[in-house]
Each structure stands twice: as structure tokens, then as C-alpha cells.
Amino acid sequence: MTRHLLSSADLSRTEVLDILATAESMHDLQRREVKKVPTLRGRTVINFFFEDSTRTRSSFEIAGKWMSADTINLSAKGSSTSKGESLRDTAMTIDAMAVDALVIRHNASGACHQVAQWVRCSVINAGDGTHEHPTQALLDAYTLRSRLGDLDGKHVVIVGDLTHSRVFRSNVITLKTLGARVTVVAPPTLMPSGIAGWSATDGFATSWDLDAVLDGEDPVDAVMMLRVQRERMSGGYFPTAREYTVGYGLTRDRLDRLVARNPDVLILHPGPMNRGLEIAAEAADSARSVVLDQVSAGVAVRMAVLYHLLAGNDDAPREPAELETSTTGASAPSAPTQPEGVAR
Ligand code: CP
């Protein structure tokens, strides 16, 4: 694996599968009473979020802490960014403190790629503008595989505000890497420009007609609803919220039709959800919803990414089991280690 995780395209199929296999060990750890292992003892991870986040920021923080890394959270407000410091100066300042990884969320597409050119530490893209969100795609793949098994040939439909969605961009890459068939659905105003060429190159289908896709000949294994990102919208992309829901929302009626055709269909949403707009409460809370599974997988997958970048990234990749007895440096995520000073 490369030093950074900036794009889902950075990861080969083998690397994705390696990370997901490691995440399974991490998920086992997550279910234990005492969750801490010494895997990243002595490593420092800075979570720098220039944009708001609940899931990604807290799961990266938990992931680092459970692996005994020193984890520090920074946000634009409260850092010297608010005094006008440039992204380059901020990144180089943090890097000069000899940190090991910088997890960055930024509202500018490409910001993480820029930072990676200025620093020595590993950079992890935690969502950059409308560009990519590679760890979200990994946790989505983890969630899908935990229910559907191998994704080769599985049909995943991604619906909603594609224009502003980094989740969609990373997911089409990772799902293709894992052999899934993807159809993306959006109103014409929320279809990214140039998508015709992109979909032809990357082999995914596009549609403006959600009902035609859901009721079509190709059975749907999973539907991923995307958030309508009103904070990124400067104009009128759809006439009213009601009309958006009628055309593109996962309503109770659409859920019932999906389940009637495939009782095992999965409903995903990266969150945060606009209930009643892109997804009805009945769908978000239904037995087919795996929204909270996605959140849970987020911790395990981010532990796995930190592990592969900071502890498992050498010329001869080691199995976690080979590392599990060391307590002085990098050690195994799978070890049922009783951390020092923590009583059961
Ligand atoms: N899915 C996601 O990125 O959520 P947050 O914005 O809460 O991190």
C-alpha cells in the first residue's frame, strides 16, 4: 500500500480485500469489553477537520485511541487557520511536530492531494469537497460484503445528489474494483457534467428514472441513498423538496416494492440523513436498513486503514498475527491484549 490514502483509485483489488480482512479482526476487537490494543503505541495521528463531521471524525478518533495512538483533533475554528494561515503552512507546521498521520477533511476538492505533496507523514483523505471519500467507500464495501458475500456481479444502485457527492465518486471506484455492477440515478440537474464519458470508461450505468431502475429487469441487491447537500447548492437544482422526494426519494412505497422483489435487499445511507427528503423514516429504520452497520464498520475500517498505513506498510507485508506479541512498537490488531493499567 502507498504511504497515503487519497483516492479509492489508490487501492488495488488485493489491497481493498486486505484492508477489509484486517477490518474483520478489528470488528471482533470492537465487540470485546476491553477494546484497546498496543498496535500503534508511540504513533501520533492528527485528525484535522476543516469541515463538519460526526461519523468520520469520531470514528477516526476512536480507531486511533483503540490502537493506542496519540490522537489529537483539530478543526479550522480554534486553529491558526482562523487567523489566515494557509493550508500549506498549517500542514507543514503539524508535520514538523513529527506526527505519523494527518487525517484531513476539507471543503476544497484536491486539498488532501496538495497536502500530501508538502508533508512527510501519511495523509488520509477523510472527504475533500465533492471529490472523494475513500474510507467511506471501504466501510460501505465492508457492510455490503458482510451481508451479500463476494460483490462480484452484485447490483448496487446509488441514488441522489451525485453532483456534490464524494461518497458516490469513491463508491463507483471501489465497487468496480470489487466487481459489483453499479447504476447511478439522479435528476438531470444533479448528474455531474461529463458523466457519460466516465460511466462508459468505468462501466457503470446511469439513469434519470428511479422507478424504472428499481422495477427493471436487473434485480437490485442494494440501494445507497445519498444526502441532498443543500449547503453546497447555490442555485435551484429541483423545484421543491416535495418534488425531489416524489422523483428520487426512497419512500415507503418504493421500499415495499424493493422488498417484494428481493426480501434481502439492503438500504444504505452514508449519513447524515435528511429524513423525509431523500429517505423516508420507514426506510431508514426498516429491517433492510444497514445504516448503523455502516457506522459500526466505520471504526473497524478506519482502524484497518491506520494499521496498513502506519504499522503494516513495509516491503514484506506481515500478517497481523506476526505482530501481535510486540508491545514496544507496531503490533497486532487481532491480539486480545489486556492493556496495561486497564482492569476488567
Ligand atoms: N458519512 C460521513 O462522512 O459522515 P460525517 O460527515 O458525519 O463524517
Side-chain angles (χ1 to χ4, degrees):
M1 198 169 158
T2 56
R3 186 156 56 98
H4 309 296
L5 178 55
L6 304 174
S7 162
S8 295
D10 292 344
L11 300 173
S12 67
R13 181 182 171 97
T14 304
E15 287 169 327
V16 170
L17 293 175
D18 278 353
I19 290 170
L20 299 184
T22 305
E24 277 182 41
S25 304
M26 303 303 187
H27 223 163
D28 289 342
L29 179 76
Q30 211 170 320
R31 295 183 191 106
R32 290 182 196 155
E33 191 185 346
V34 176
K35 300 172 178 71
K36 212 148 182 140
V37 289
T39 310
L40 295 182
R41 184 180 290 170
R43 309 296 175 99
T44 303
V45 178
I46 307 279
N47 298 321
F48 204 150
F49 279 63
F50 294 81
E51 202 184 70
D52 291 345
S53 166
T54 297
R55 281 147 281 266
T56 313
R57 181 166 53 188
S58 51
S59 61
F60 264 115
E61 182 175 3
I62 291 168
K65 285 184 167 157
W66 282 356
M67 291 197 293
S68 303
D70 293 308
T71 306
I72 292 164
N73 289 337
L74 289 173
S75 57
K77 192 172 183 308
S79 75
S80 290
T81 302
S82 65
K83 301 177 194 165
E85 188 171 61
S86 70
L87 178 61
R88 185 171 187 269
D89 283 336
T90 301
M92 290 175 69
T93 297
I94 292 169
D95 192 48
M97 297 178 200
V99 304
D100 297 286
L102 193 47
V103 178
I104 301 179
R105 168 164 293 190
H106 204 284
N107 56 4
S109 301
C112 301
H113 283 77
Q114 280 285 335
V115 169
Q117 288 165 25
W118 298 324
V119 298
R120 166 212 52 82
C121 65
S122 290
V123 176
I124 301 173
N125 182 353
D128 62 328
T130 60
H131 178 229
E132 280 216 48
H133 195 351
T135 58
Q136 177 71 42
L138 287 167
L139 74 87
D140 292 337
Y142 182 95
T143 305
L144 289 166
R145 279 168 52 89
S146 68
R147 299 292 190 110
L148 302 176
D150 195 335
L151 296 187
D152 266 318
K154 296 290 191 302
H155 186 199
V156 180
V157 178
I158 304 176
V159 187
D161 180 0
L162 301 180
T163 291
H164 302 104
S165 179
R166 53 198 178 210
V167 173
F168 142 69
R169 285 172 177 77
S170 282
N171 257 290
V172 291
I173 297 169
T174 298
L175 288 169
K176 182 190 174 201
T177 300
L178 295 176
R181 292 175 302 110
V182 177
T183 302
V184 302
V185 184
T189 50
L190 290 172
M191 233 357 137
S193 60
I195 197 160
W198 179 21
S199 61
T201 308
D202 275 15
F204 61 89
T206 66
S207 175
W208 299 341
D209 189 340
L210 178 58
D211 290 317
V213 171
L214 300 187
D215 300 331
E217 289 179 1
D218 192 0
V220 175
D221 293 296
V223 180
M224 183 182 297
M225 301 307 298
L226 299 174
R227 183 171 68 88
V228 174
Q229 300 193 36
R230 284 187 274 209
E231 76 277 16
R232 295 191 208 275
M233 293 182 181
S234 51
Y237 287 84
F238 45 85
T240 63
R242 171 86 189 130
E243 284 181 65
Y244 182 87
T245 304
V246 168
Y248 296 96
L250 185 55
T251 57
R252 174 68 186 264
D253 174 59
R254 289 192 174 109
L255 175 70
D256 289 346
R257 278 159 41 213
L258 273 168
V259 173
R261 288 199 69 190
N262 175 9
D264 297 324
V265 69
L266 301 178
I267 308 300
L268 294 90
H269 192 303
M273 295 185 280
N274 293 308
R275 285 172 182 258
L277 179 57
E278 73 263 0
I279 187 165
E282 294 93 333
D285 300 331
S286 78
R288 303 316 314 148
S289 169
V290 289
V291 169
L292 293 179
D293 296 36
Q294 291 172 269
V295 175
S296 175
V299 177
V301 161
R302 285 164 181 136
M303 290 174 83
V305 166
L306 289 172
Y307 171 74
H308 279 270
L309 286 176
L310 301 185
N313 198 9
D314 54 22
D315 291 336
R318 289 168 289 173
E319 290 301 316
E322 293 178 58
L323 297 162
E324 68 187 36
T325 52
S326 167
T327 54
T328 52
S331 62
S334 56
T337 312
Q338 176 67 25
E340 291 159 21
V342 177
R344 276 193 184 275

